[in-house]
Amino acid sequence: MFPEAAFLHDPAMLWQFVAASCLQVVVIASLYLAVARIPARWVPWLRIATLAAFAAICIGSNAPVIAHGFGTPGFVYSLGLAAAASLIATVALVHGQWRQWLARRKRRATAL
């Protein structure tokens, strides 16, 4: 609509990607720094929360980029794959925690 602003299209895509990446680094680093202050039994759940936060940030940063028309296939696919990978890892960690919880519960039940 404004031809004089057309040269800003490519730098805007780059800076949106940099801003989304910085936000991801800050959130993930903040959650990992909190590990030292919580009991060891909660660390796996913190990992799950961190991966879920990463997936939410990937999806959340992907939506505005596409809505503004800056969604190049490489950017959209990379964020989508990162979100999918973190969701798969989250499900795997939750499944592992669930199995450990069931095993502990079974041991307690048979010990009585």
Side-chain angles (χ1 to χ4, degrees), residues 22-85:
C22 289
L23 179 63
Q24 290 170 1
V25 168
V26 168
V27 169
I28 304 304
S30 299
L31 287 172
Y32 273 123
L33 288 175
V35 169
R37 298 184 182 173
I38 62 172
R41 65 187 176 110
W42 289 103
V43 171
W45 293 108
L46 181 66
R47 287 186 184 131
I48 291 168
T50 304
L51 284 169
F54 181 78
I57 292 169
C58 283
I59 294 167
S61 61
N62 205 358
V65 167
I66 293 172
H68 289 298
F70 296 137
T72 60
F75 182 75
V76 172
Y77 294 150
S78 65
L79 278 179
L81 288 174

Side-chain angles (χ1 to χ4, degrees), residues 7-32:
F7 69 94
L8 296 174
H9 184 267
D10 292 333
M13 285 185 350
L14 171 72
W15 289 114
Q16 279 190 333
F17 179 72
V18 170
S21 299
C22 289
L23 179 63
Q24 290 170 1
V25 168
V26 168
V27 169
I28 304 304
S30 299
L31 287 172
Y32 273 123

